[in-house]
Amino acid sequence: MNGQRTQTASGSQEGSAFEQSHPSGSARTGTSTKIVISGASGDLGRRVTKQLQGHAGIDLTLVTRTPQRLAERQAEGLAVRRGDYSEPDSLDAAFAGGDVLFLISGLNLGRRIPEHRHAIAAAKTAGIRHIVYTSVGGVQPNNPALSAKDHLQTELDLRESGLAFTFLRNHLYAEIVSNIWIAPAALTGRLELATGDGSLSPVGKADIARSAAAVLSDVNRHEGAVYDITGPELLTVAQIAQIGSEVYGVPITYAPVSQEERLAFFDSTGMPRTYDPTMPPSADGHMWASDELVSADVSQAEDYQAILTHHVNQLTGRAPESLRSVMERVRAVPYDLIGATAQ
């Protein structure tokens, strides 16, 4: 059964702007809230750290597989600990003393579910009471996207864990649409995807980080909430191509292709079709396989991503940045250099 195009005004619980909410709803009333950010050396972790660092009533612990990447934060007085989702024993010590865990999801299909289970178990051992989890847009049992199936299982695991939870279902990064989809298409004049006539609502990384910071700063107000973090517009890929044409000043035509044509393109790049847990990671640490990427295209074609909400505005007090604005801001920056200092 296909997804349906929806526009949602509110989540399971109404959020509040970060500036207005902090720190009245801390996990420990009258004391500082000890927030553990796992995956803290990645882009989202860095952005959220920047949002929360220095605010009264918040005590941050940063957990990463690579503590040396956070040497600057450690020099500023933040606690930095090594923890790896694939090494359960490392997580027990890394999460110790925390009240709230910001569980930034792992990257690798097929490994996410057991790795997230390790993190949930370690959080319970450490006495953490609330987990804020970064899920993905369009999570439901029939969504064909392979990554969505992983995230659905982790959501179910958290619901059964006995811990308080909040889900942030982050939709497709506007920066990916800008610099992974449109930038190459501007060179060829064609945007070829297996996304059919489906719609999506790309959201900027800065808006995702601000939304997460708002929830983390006042977690009690968001207990049990499920937020779809979207941009301000529901767009077809043809409309996205038109925006790209206007920003780049060149004609870009959206040319829908079949799943097999899309897979053949990835074959030509040398990318394996099927995920293998033993395959070597790419330079960015992700273990890419084309079946995951094409299943995401199909999910969009069947409108599982056709969701538009006002949750960013409700959580942060600011409307989300438009795709056009993001594209104009980052078009000249290589995707892997769009980091926490970008905004």
Side-chain angles (χ1 to χ4, degrees), residues 134-161:
T134 62
S135 188
V136 69
V139 167
Q140 57 170 288
N142 295 321
N143 189 329
L146 297 179
S147 62
K149 297 180 187 299
D150 280 358
H151 288 290
L152 172 62
Q153 185 57 58
T154 295
E155 289 191 10
L156 293 173
D157 289 342
L158 281 165
R159 290 181 186 275
E160 296 173 359
S161 70

mmCIF file with all atom_site columns, all heavy atoms in Angstrom, residues 134-161:
data_model
loop_
_atom_site.group_PDB
_atom_site.id
_atom_site.type_symbol
_atom_site.label_atom_id
_atom_site.label_alt_id
_atom_site.label_comp_id
_atom_site.label_asym_id
_atom_site.label_entity_id
_atom_site.label_seq_id
_atom_site.pdbx_PDB_ins_code
_atom_site.Cartn_x
_atom_site.Cartn_y
_atom_site.Cartn_z
_atom_site.occupancy
_atom_site.B_iso_or_equiv
_atom_site.pdbx_formal_charge
_atom_site.auth_seq_id
_atom_site.auth_comp_id
_atom_site.auth_asym_id
_atom_site.auth_atom_id
_atom_site.pdbx_PDB_model_num
ATOM 1   N N   . THR A 1 134 ? 17.484 9.904  16.522 1.00 0.00 ? 134 THR A N   1
ATOM 2   C CA  . THR A 1 134 ? 17.373 10.446 15.172 1.00 0.00 ? 134 THR A CA  1
ATOM 3   C C   . THR A 1 134 ? 16.937 9.347  14.222 1.00 0.00 ? 134 THR A C   1
ATOM 4   O O   . THR A 1 134 ? 17.729 8.511  13.798 1.00 0.00 ? 134 THR A O   1
ATOM 5   C CB  . THR A 1 134 ? 18.693 11.072 14.687 1.00 0.00 ? 134 THR A CB  1
ATOM 6   O OG1 . THR A 1 134 ? 19.716 10.072 14.645 1.00 0.00 ? 134 THR A OG1 1
ATOM 7   C CG2 . THR A 1 134 ? 19.132 12.192 15.616 1.00 0.00 ? 134 THR A CG2 1
ATOM 8   N N   . SER A 1 135 ? 15.671 9.361  13.879 1.00 0.00 ? 135 SER A N   1
ATOM 9   C CA  . SER A 1 135 ? 15.094 8.404  12.945 1.00 0.00 ? 135 SER A CA  1
ATOM 10  C C   . SER A 1 135 ? 15.046 9.039  11.554 1.00 0.00 ? 135 SER A C   1
ATOM 11  O O   . SER A 1 135 ? 15.792 9.975  11.267 1.00 0.00 ? 135 SER A O   1
ATOM 12  C CB  . SER A 1 135 ? 13.704 7.990  13.448 1.00 0.00 ? 135 SER A CB  1
ATOM 13  O OG  . SER A 1 135 ? 13.177 6.938  12.687 1.00 0.00 ? 135 SER A OG  1
ATOM 14  N N   . VAL A 1 136 ? 14.172 8.543  10.708 1.00 0.00 ? 136 VAL A N   1
ATOM 15  C CA  . VAL A 1 136 ? 14.102 9.018  9.333  1.00 0.00 ? 136 VAL A CA  1
ATOM 16  C C   . VAL A 1 136 ? 12.642 9.248  8.967  1.00 0.00 ? 136 VAL A C   1
ATOM 17  O O   . VAL A 1 136 ? 11.738 8.627  9.537  1.00 0.00 ? 136 VAL A O   1
ATOM 18  C CB  . VAL A 1 136 ? 14.773 8.002  8.382  1.00 0.00 ? 136 VAL A CB  1
ATOM 19  C CG1 . VAL A 1 136 ? 13.959 6.724  8.291  1.00 0.00 ? 136 VAL A CG1 1
ATOM 20  C CG2 . VAL A 1 136 ? 15.021 8.587  7.003  1.00 0.00 ? 136 VAL A CG2 1
ATOM 21  N N   . GLY A 1 137 ? 12.402 10.124 8.021  1.00 0.00 ? 137 GLY A N   1
ATOM 22  C CA  . GLY A 1 137 ? 11.045 10.432 7.604  1.00 0.00 ? 137 GLY A CA  1
ATOM 23  C C   . GLY A 1 137 ? 10.358 9.263  6.930  1.00 0.00 ? 137 GLY A C   1
ATOM 24  O O   . GLY A 1 137 ? 10.984 8.436  6.259  1.00 0.00 ? 137 GLY A O   1
ATOM 25  N N   . GLY A 1 138 ? 9.053  9.179  7.118  1.00 0.00 ? 138 GLY A N   1
ATOM 26  C CA  . GLY A 1 138 ? 8.263  8.169  6.435  1.00 0.00 ? 138 GLY A CA  1
ATOM 27  C C   . GLY A 1 138 ? 8.335  6.787  7.032  1.00 0.00 ? 138 GLY A C   1
ATOM 28  O O   . GLY A 1 138 ? 8.004  5.799  6.357  1.00 0.00 ? 138 GLY A O   1
ATOM 29  N N   . VAL A 1 139 ? 8.746  6.673  8.296  1.00 0.00 ? 139 VAL A N   1
ATOM 30  C CA  . VAL A 1 139 ? 8.862  5.352  8.929  1.00 0.00 ? 139 VAL A CA  1
ATOM 31  C C   . VAL A 1 139 ? 7.481  4.730  9.100  1.00 0.00 ? 139 VAL A C   1
ATOM 32  O O   . VAL A 1 139 ? 6.599  5.314  9.716  1.00 0.00 ? 139 VAL A O   1
ATOM 33  C CB  . VAL A 1 139 ? 9.564  5.463  10.297 1.00 0.00 ? 139 VAL A CB  1
ATOM 34  C CG1 . VAL A 1 139 ? 9.404  4.170  11.089 1.00 0.00 ? 139 VAL A CG1 1
ATOM 35  C CG2 . VAL A 1 139 ? 11.036 5.758  10.107 1.00 0.00 ? 139 VAL A CG2 1
ATOM 36  N N   . GLN A 1 140 ? 7.303  3.575  8.510  1.00 0.00 ? 140 GLN A N   1
ATOM 37  C CA  . GLN A 1 140 ? 6.132  2.732  8.709  1.00 0.00 ? 140 GLN A CA  1
ATOM 38  C C   . GLN A 1 140 ? 6.451  1.361  8.126  1.00 0.00 ? 140 GLN A C   1
ATOM 39  O O   . GLN A 1 140 ? 7.388  1.219  7.322  1.00 0.00 ? 140 GLN A O   1
ATOM 40  C CB  . GLN A 1 140 ? 4.874  3.333  8.067  1.00 0.00 ? 140 GLN A CB  1
ATOM 41  C CG  . GLN A 1 140 ? 5.000  3.615  6.585  1.00 0.00 ? 140 GLN A CG  1
ATOM 42  C CD  . GLN A 1 140 ? 3.662  3.978  5.976  1.00 0.00 ? 140 GLN A CD  1
ATOM 43  O OE1 . GLN A 1 140 ? 2.806  3.116  5.827  1.00 0.00 ? 140 GLN A OE1 1
ATOM 44  N NE2 . GLN A 1 140 ? 3.484  5.241  5.620  1.00 0.00 ? 140 GLN A NE2 1
ATOM 45  N N   . PRO A 1 141 ? 5.717  0.317  8.512  1.00 0.00 ? 141 PRO A N   1
ATOM 46  C CA  . PRO A 1 141 ? 6.109  -1.033 8.116  1.00 0.00 ? 141 PRO A CA  1
ATOM 47  C C   . PRO A 1 141 ? 6.189  -1.276 6.619  1.00 0.00 ? 141 PRO A C   1
ATOM 48  O O   . PRO A 1 141 ? 6.995  -2.090 6.168  1.00 0.00 ? 141 PRO A O   1
ATOM 49  C CB  . PRO A 1 141 ? 5.017  -1.907 8.755  1.00 0.00 ? 141 PRO A CB  1
ATOM 50  C CG  . PRO A 1 141 ? 4.545  -1.115 9.925  1.00 0.00 ? 141 PRO A CG  1
ATOM 51  C CD  . PRO A 1 141 ? 4.618  0.321  9.491  1.00 0.00 ? 141 PRO A CD  1
ATOM 52  N N   . ASN A 1 142 ? 5.383  -0.593 5.815  1.00 0.00 ? 142 ASN A N   1
ATOM 53  C CA  . ASN A 1 142 ? 5.346  -0.865 4.378  1.00 0.00 ? 142 ASN A CA  1
ATOM 54  C C   . ASN A 1 142 ? 6.308  -0.012 3.563  1.00 0.00 ? 142 ASN A C   1
ATOM 55  O O   . ASN A 1 142 ? 6.378  -0.164 2.338  1.00 0.00 ? 142 ASN A O   1
ATOM 56  C CB  . ASN A 1 142 ? 3.928  -0.672 3.848  1.00 0.00 ? 142 ASN A CB  1
ATOM 57  C CG  . ASN A 1 142 ? 2.963  -1.681 4.436  1.00 0.00 ? 142 ASN A CG  1
ATOM 58  O OD1 . ASN A 1 142 ? 3.307  -2.845 4.619  1.00 0.00 ? 142 ASN A OD1 1
ATOM 59  N ND2 . ASN A 1 142 ? 1.756  -1.237 4.750  1.00 0.00 ? 142 ASN A ND2 1
ATOM 60  N N   . ASN A 1 143 ? 7.040  0.871  4.193  1.00 0.00 ? 143 ASN A N   1
ATOM 61  C CA  . ASN A 1 143 ? 7.994  1.707  3.468  1.00 0.00 ? 143 ASN A CA  1
ATOM 62  C C   . ASN A 1 143 ? 9.081  0.821  2.866  1.00 0.00 ? 143 ASN A C   1
ATOM 63  O O   . ASN A 1 143 ? 9.746  0.074  3.585  1.00 0.00 ? 143 ASN A O   1
ATOM 64  C CB  . ASN A 1 143 ? 8.612  2.728  4.432  1.00 0.00 ? 143 ASN A CB  1
ATOM 65  C CG  . ASN A 1 143 ? 9.444  3.781  3.718  1.00 0.00 ? 143 ASN A CG  1
ATOM 66  O OD1 . ASN A 1 143 ? 10.047 3.520  2.672  1.00 0.00 ? 143 ASN A OD1 1
ATOM 67  N ND2 . ASN A 1 143 ? 9.491  4.970  4.288  1.00 0.00 ? 143 ASN A ND2 1
ATOM 68  N N   . PRO A 1 144 ? 9.298  0.882  1.544  1.00 0.00 ? 144 PRO A N   1
ATOM 69  C CA  . PRO A 1 144 ? 10.285 -0.003 0.913  1.00 0.00 ? 144 PRO A CA  1
ATOM 70  C C   . PRO A 1 144 ? 11.732 0.397  1.161  1.00 0.00 ? 144 PRO A C   1
ATOM 71  O O   . PRO A 1 144 ? 12.645 -0.388 0.862  1.00 0.00 ? 144 PRO A O   1
ATOM 72  C CB  . PRO A 1 144 ? 9.951  0.101  -0.582 1.00 0.00 ? 144 PRO A CB  1
ATOM 73  C CG  . PRO A 1 144 ? 9.331  1.459  -0.725 1.00 0.00 ? 144 PRO A CG  1
ATOM 74  C CD  . PRO A 1 144 ? 8.569  1.694  0.544  1.00 0.00 ? 144 PRO A CD  1
ATOM 75  N N   . ALA A 1 145 ? 11.983 1.594  1.678  1.00 0.00 ? 145 ALA A N   1
ATOM 76  C CA  . ALA A 1 145 ? 13.363 2.026  1.917  1.00 0.00 ? 145 ALA A CA  1
ATOM 77  C C   . ALA A 1 145 ? 14.018 1.138  2.963  1.00 0.00 ? 145 ALA A C   1
ATOM 78  O O   . ALA A 1 145 ? 13.496 0.973  4.072  1.00 0.00 ? 145 ALA A O   1
ATOM 79  C CB  . ALA A 1 145 ? 13.387 3.483  2.356  1.00 0.00 ? 145 ALA A CB  1
ATOM 80  N N   . LEU A 1 146 ? 15.144 0.548  2.622  1.00 0.00 ? 146 LEU A N   1
ATOM 81  C CA  . LEU A 1 146 ? 15.804 -0.378 3.538  1.00 0.00 ? 146 LEU A CA  1
ATOM 82  C C   . LEU A 1 146 ? 16.221 0.315  4.827  1.00 0.00 ? 146 LEU A C   1
ATOM 83  O O   . LEU A 1 146 ? 16.143 -0.271 5.908  1.00 0.00 ? 146 LEU A O   1
ATOM 84  C CB  . LEU A 1 146 ? 17.009 -1.007 2.846  1.00 0.00 ? 146 LEU A CB  1
ATOM 85  C CG  . LEU A 1 146 ? 16.695 -1.865 1.614  1.00 0.00 ? 146 LEU A CG  1
ATOM 86  C CD1 . LEU A 1 146 ? 17.989 -2.406 1.003  1.00 0.00 ? 146 LEU A CD1 1
ATOM 87  C CD2 . LEU A 1 146 ? 15.749 -3.000 1.959  1.00 0.00 ? 146 LEU A CD2 1
ATOM 88  N N   . SER A 1 147 ? 16.662 1.548  4.725  1.00 0.00 ? 147 SER A N   1
ATOM 89  C CA  . SER A 1 147 ? 17.060 2.275  5.939  1.00 0.00 ? 147 SER A CA  1
ATOM 90  C C   . SER A 1 147 ? 15.863 2.522  6.840  1.00 0.00 ? 147 SER A C   1
ATOM 91  O O   . SER A 1 147 ? 15.978 2.484  8.075  1.00 0.00 ? 147 SER A O   1
ATOM 92  C CB  . SER A 1 147 ? 17.734 3.595  5.581  1.00 0.00 ? 147 SER A CB  1
ATOM 93  O OG  . SER A 1 147 ? 16.850 4.439  4.876  1.00 0.00 ? 147 SER A OG  1
ATOM 94  N N   . ALA A 1 148 ? 14.684 2.761  6.259  1.00 0.00 ? 148 ALA A N   1
ATOM 95  C CA  . ALA A 1 148 ? 13.483 3.004  7.061  1.00 0.00 ? 148 ALA A CA  1
ATOM 96  C C   . ALA A 1 148 ? 13.123 1.769  7.879  1.00 0.00 ? 148 ALA A C   1
ATOM 97  O O   . ALA A 1 148 ? 12.615 1.878  8.996  1.00 0.00 ? 148 ALA A O   1
ATOM 98  C CB  . ALA A 1 148 ? 12.316 3.412  6.167  1.00 0.00 ? 148 ALA A CB  1
ATOM 99  N N   . LYS A 1 149 ? 13.388 0.586  7.332  1.00 0.00 ? 149 LYS A N   1
ATOM 100 C CA  . LYS A 1 149 ? 13.097 -0.647 8.069  1.00 0.00 ? 149 LYS A CA  1
ATOM 101 C C   . LYS A 1 149 ? 13.987 -0.748 9.308  1.00 0.00 ? 149 LYS A C   1
ATOM 102 O O   . LYS A 1 149 ? 13.530 -1.155 10.388 1.00 0.00 ? 149 LYS A O   1
ATOM 103 C CB  . LYS A 1 149 ? 13.293 -1.852 7.158  1.00 0.00 ? 149 LYS A CB  1
ATOM 104 C CG  . LYS A 1 149 ? 12.344 -1.880 5.968  1.00 0.00 ? 149 LYS A CG  1
ATOM 105 C CD  . LYS A 1 149 ? 12.582 -3.085 5.091  1.00 0.00 ? 149 LYS A CD  1
ATOM 106 C CE  . LYS A 1 149 ? 11.750 -3.015 3.814  1.00 0.00 ? 149 LYS A CE  1
ATOM 107 N NZ  . LYS A 1 149 ? 10.298 -2.988 4.074  1.00 0.00 ? 149 LYS A NZ  1
ATOM 108 N N   . ASP A 1 150 ? 15.260 -0.357 9.174  1.00 0.00 ? 150 ASP A N   1
ATOM 109 C CA  . ASP A 1 150 ? 16.157 -0.329 10.331 1.00 0.00 ? 150 ASP A CA  1
ATOM 110 C C   . ASP A 1 150 ? 15.639 0.628  11.398 1.00 0.00 ? 150 ASP A C   1
ATOM 111 O O   . ASP A 1 150 ? 15.599 0.301  12.587 1.00 0.00 ? 150 ASP A O   1
ATOM 112 C CB  . ASP A 1 150 ? 17.560 0.121  9.908  1.00 0.00 ? 150 ASP A CB  1
ATOM 113 C CG  . ASP A 1 150 ? 18.380 -0.990 9.277  1.00 0.00 ? 150 ASP A CG  1
ATOM 114 O OD1 . ASP A 1 150 ? 17.892 -2.124 9.191  1.00 0.00 ? 150 ASP A OD1 1
ATOM 115 O OD2 . ASP A 1 150 ? 19.526 -0.699 8.863  1.00 0.00 ? 150 ASP A OD2 1
ATOM 116 N N   . HIS A 1 151 ? 15.275 1.830  10.973 1.00 0.00 ? 151 HIS A N   1
ATOM 117 C CA  . HIS A 1 151 ? 14.832 2.847  11.927 1.00 0.00 ? 151 HIS A CA  1
ATOM 118 C C   . HIS A 1 151 ? 13.516 2.447  12.592 1.00 0.00 ? 151 HIS A C   1
ATOM 119 O O   . HIS A 1 151 ? 13.311 2.715  13.782 1.00 0.00 ? 151 HIS A O   1
ATOM 120 C CB  . HIS A 1 151 ? 14.707 4.197  11.233 1.00 0.00 ? 151 HIS A CB  1
ATOM 121 C CG  . HIS A 1 151 ? 16.024 4.817  10.887 1.00 0.00 ? 151 HIS A CG  1
ATOM 122 N ND1 . HIS A 1 151 ? 16.882 5.314  11.846 1.00 0.00 ? 151 HIS A ND1 1
ATOM 123 C CD2 . HIS A 1 151 ? 16.642 5.011  9.698  1.00 0.00 ? 151 HIS A CD2 1
ATOM 124 C CE1 . HIS A 1 151 ? 17.968 5.799  11.257 1.00 0.00 ? 151 HIS A CE1 1
ATOM 125 N NE2 . HIS A 1 151 ? 17.840 5.620  9.957  1.00 0.00 ? 151 HIS A NE2 1
ATOM 126 N N   . LEU A 1 152 ? 12.624 1.827  11.832 1.00 0.00 ? 152 LEU A N   1
ATOM 127 C CA  . LEU A 1 152 ? 11.367 1.356  12.417 1.00 0.00 ? 152 LEU A CA  1
ATOM 128 C C   . LEU A 1 152 ? 11.644 0.377  13.554 1.00 0.00 ? 152 LEU A C   1
ATOM 129 O O   . LEU A 1 152 ? 11.034 0.470  14.624 1.00 0.00 ? 152 LEU A O   1
ATOM 130 C CB  . LEU A 1 152 ? 10.505 0.693  11.351 1.00 0.00 ? 152 LEU A CB  1
ATOM 131 C CG  . LEU A 1 152 ? 9.243  -0.005 11.862 1.00 0.00 ? 152 LEU A CG  1
ATOM 132 C CD1 . LEU A 1 152 ? 8.297  0.985  12.521 1.00 0.00 ? 152 LEU A CD1 1
ATOM 133 C CD2 . LEU A 1 152 ? 8.542  -0.751 10.718 1.00 0.00 ? 152 LEU A CD2 1
ATOM 134 N N   . GLN A 1 153 ? 12.584 -0.545 13.343 1.00 0.00 ? 153 GLN A N   1
ATOM 135 C CA  . GLN A 1 153 ? 12.872 -1.522 14.381 1.00 0.00 ? 153 GLN A CA  1
ATOM 136 C C   . GLN A 1 153 ? 13.448 -0.851 15.623 1.00 0.00 ? 153 GLN A C   1
ATOM 137 O O   . GLN A 1 153 ? 13.093 -1.211 16.754 1.00 0.00 ? 153 GLN A O   1
ATOM 138 C CB  . GLN A 1 153 ? 13.836 -2.591 13.866 1.00 0.00 ? 153 GLN A CB  1
ATOM 139 C CG  . GLN A 1 153 ? 14.083 -3.705 14.882 1.00 0.00 ? 153 GLN A CG  1
ATOM 140 C CD  . GLN A 1 153 ? 12.810 -4.394 15.310 1.00 0.00 ? 153 GLN A CD  1
ATOM 141 O OE1 . GLN A 1 153 ? 12.073 -4.932 14.465 1.00 0.00 ? 153 GLN A OE1 1
ATOM 142 N NE2 . GLN A 1 153 ? 12.516 -4.404 16.605 1.00 0.00 ? 153 GLN A NE2 1
ATOM 143 N N   . THR A 1 154 ? 14.328 0.135  15.440 1.00 0.00 ? 154 THR A N   1
ATOM 144 C CA  . THR A 1 154 ? 14.878 0.828  16.608 1.00 0.00 ? 154 THR A CA  1
ATOM 145 C C   . THR A 1 154 ? 13.786 1.603  17.339 1.00 0.00 ? 154 THR A C   1
ATOM 146 O O   . THR A 1 154 ? 13.756 1.629  18.575 1.00 0.00 ? 154 THR A O   1
ATOM 147 C CB  . THR A 1 154 ? 16.027 1.756  16.209 1.00 0.00 ? 154 THR A CB  1
ATOM 148 O OG1 . THR A 1 154 ? 17.119 0.960  15.709 1.00 0.00 ? 154 THR A OG1 1
ATOM 149 C CG2 . THR A 1 154 ? 16.527 2.560  17.405 1.00 0.00 ? 154 THR A CG2 1
ATOM 150 N N   . GLU A 1 155 ? 12.868 2.209  16.599 1.00 0.00 ? 155 GLU A N   1
ATOM 151 C CA  . GLU A 1 155 ? 11.744 2.880  17.264 1.00 0.00 ? 155 GLU A CA  1
ATOM 152 C C   . GLU A 1 155 ? 10.945 1.875  18.094 1.00 0.00 ? 155 GLU A C   1
ATOM 153 O O   . GLU A 1 155 ? 10.554 2.168  19.233 1.00 0.00 ? 155 GLU A O   1
ATOM 154 C CB  . GLU A 1 155 ? 10.843 3.565  16.237 1.00 0.00 ? 155 GLU A CB  1
ATOM 155 C CG  . GLU A 1 155 ? 11.457 4.805  15.594 1.00 0.00 ? 155 GLU A CG  1
ATOM 156 C CD  . GLU A 1 155 ? 10.429 5.601  14.795 1.00 0.00 ? 155 GLU A CD  1
ATOM 157 O OE1 . GLU A 1 155 ? 9.224  5.300  14.903 1.00 0.00 ? 155 GLU A OE1 1
ATOM 158 O OE2 . GLU A 1 155 ? 10.845 6.539  14.075 1.00 0.00 ? 155 GLU A OE2 1
ATOM 159 N N   . LEU A 1 156 ? 10.688 0.702  17.541 1.00 0.00 ? 156 LEU A N   1
ATOM 160 C CA  . LEU A 1 156 ? 9.956  -0.320 18.290 1.00 0.00 ? 156 LEU A CA  1
ATOM 161 C C   . LEU A 1 156 ? 10.741 -0.762 19.526 1.00 0.00 ? 156 LEU A C   1
ATOM 162 O O   . LEU A 1 156 ? 10.177 -0.936 20.617 1.00 0.00 ? 156 LEU A O   1
ATOM 163 C CB  . LEU A 1 156 ? 9.673  -1.523 17.385 1.00 0.00 ? 156 LEU A CB  1
ATOM 164 C CG  . LEU A 1 156 ? 8.704  -1.289 16.219 1.00 0.00 ? 156 LEU A CG  1
ATOM 165 C CD1 . LEU A 1 156 ? 8.656  -2.517 15.306 1.00 0.00 ? 156 LEU A CD1 1
ATOM 166 C CD2 . LEU A 1 156 ? 7.308  -0.949 16.723 1.00 0.00 ? 156 LEU A CD2 1
ATOM 167 N N   . ASP A 1 157 ? 12.059 -0.913 19.367 1.00 0.00 ? 157 ASP A N   1
ATOM 168 C CA  . ASP A 1 157 ? 12.894 -1.307 20.506 1.00 0.00 ? 157 ASP A CA  1
ATOM 169 C C   . ASP A 1 157 ? 12.844 -0.253 21.605 1.00 0.00 ? 157 ASP A C   1
ATOM 170 O O   . ASP A 1 157 ? 12.784 -0.592 22.801 1.00 0.00 ? 157 ASP A O   1
ATOM 171 C CB  . ASP A 1 157 ? 14.340 -1.507 20.056 1.00 0.00 ? 157 ASP A CB  1
ATOM 172 C CG  . ASP A 1 157 ? 14.527 -2.756 19.202 1.00 0.00 ? 157 ASP A CG  1
ATOM 173 O OD1 . ASP A 1 157 ? 13.650 -3.641 19.231 1.00 0.00 ? 157 ASP A OD1 1
ATOM 174 O OD2 . ASP A 1 157 ? 15.567 -2.838 18.506 1.00 0.00 ? 157 ASP A OD2 1
ATOM 175 N N   . LEU A 1 158 ? 12.861 1.007  21.225 1.00 0.00 ? 158 LEU A N   1
ATOM 176 C CA  . LEU A 1 158 ? 12.808 2.075  22.231 1.00 0.00 ? 158 LEU A CA  1
ATOM 177 C C   . LEU A 1 158 ? 11.446 2.111  22.919 1.00 0.00 ? 158 LEU A C   1
ATOM 178 O O   . LEU A 1 158 ? 11.359 2.342  24.134 1.00 0.00 ? 158 LEU A O   1
ATOM 179 C CB  . LEU A 1 158 ? 13.127 3.422  21.583 1.00 0.00 ? 158 LEU A CB  1
ATOM 180 C CG  . LEU A 1 158 ? 14.613 3.683  21.344 1.00 0.00 ? 158 LEU A CG  1
ATOM 181 C CD1 . LEU A 1 158 ? 14.824 4.847  20.385 1.00 0.00 ? 158 LEU A CD1 1
ATOM 182 C CD2 . LEU A 1 158 ? 15.324 3.962  22.666 1.00 0.00 ? 158 LEU A CD2 1
ATOM 183 N N   . ARG A 1 159 ? 10.382 1.881  22.178 1.00 0.00 ? 159 ARG A N   1
ATOM 184 C CA  . ARG A 1 159 ? 9.050  1.869  22.792 1.00 0.00 ? 159 ARG A CA  1
ATOM 185 C C   . ARG A 1 159 ? 8.932  0.758  23.833 1.00 0.00 ? 159 ARG A C   1
ATOM 186 O O   . ARG A 1 159 ? 8.201  0.887  24.814 1.00 0.00 ? 159 ARG A O   1
ATOM 187 C CB  . ARG A 1 159 ? 7.978  1.693  21.715 1.00 0.00 ? 159 ARG A CB  1
ATOM 188 C CG  . ARG A 1 159 ? 7.796  2.905  20.805 1.00 0.00 ? 159 ARG A CG  1
ATOM 189 C CD  . ARG A 1 159 ? 6.696  2.665  19.789 1.00 0.00 ? 159 ARG A CD  1
ATOM 190 N NE  . ARG A 1 159 ? 6.590  3.748  18.823 1.00 0.00 ? 159 ARG A NE  1
ATOM 191 C CZ  . ARG A 1 159 ? 5.897  4.871  19.018 1.00 0.00 ? 159 ARG A CZ  1
ATOM 192 N NH1 . ARG A 1 159 ? 5.254  5.056  20.171 1.00 0.00 ? 159 ARG A NH1 1
ATOM 193 N NH2 . ARG A 1 159 ? 5.846  5.809  18.091 1.00 0.00 ? 159 ARG A NH2 1
ATOM 194 N N   . GLU A 1 160 ? 9.666  -0.339 23.605 1.00 0.00 ? 160 GLU A N   1
ATOM 195 C CA  . GLU A 1 160 ? 9.598  -1.479 24.515 1.00 0.00 ? 160 GLU A CA  1
ATOM 196 C C   . GLU A 1 160 ? 10.680 -1.448 25.591 1.00 0.00 ? 160 GLU A C   1
ATOM 197 O O   . GLU A 1 160 ? 10.719 -2.336 26.447 1.00 0.00 ? 160 GLU A O   1
ATOM 198 C CB  . GLU A 1 160 ? 9.721  -2.775 23.701 1.00 0.00 ? 160 GLU A CB  1
ATOM 199 C CG  . GLU A 1 160 ? 8.565  -2.995 22.724 1.00 0.00 ? 160 GLU A CG  1
ATOM 200 C CD  . GLU A 1 160 ? 8.786  -4.181 21.800 1.00 0.00 ? 160 GLU A CD  1
ATOM 201 O OE1 . GLU A 1 160 ? 9.865  -4.817 21.918 1.00 0.00 ? 160 GLU A OE1 1
ATOM 202 O OE2 . GLU A 1 160 ? 7.906  -4.465 20.979 1.00 0.00 ? 160 GLU A OE2 1
ATOM 203 N N   . SER A 1 161 ? 11.534 -0.440 25.571 1.00 0.00 ? 161 SER A N   1
ATOM 204 C CA  . SER A 1 161 ? 12.701 -0.421 26.459 1.00 0.00 ? 161 SER A CA  1
ATOM 205 C C   . SER A 1 161 ? 12.375 -0.049 27.900 1.00 0.00 ? 161 SER A C   1
ATOM 206 O O   . SER A 1 161 ? 13.166 -0.317 28.808 1.00 0.00 ? 161 SER A O   1
ATOM 207 C CB  . SER A 1 161 ? 13.742 0.568  25.920 1.00 0.00 ? 161 SER A CB  1
ATOM 208 O OG  . SER A 1 161 ? 13.276 1.913  26.065 1.00 0.00 ? 161 SER A OG  1
#
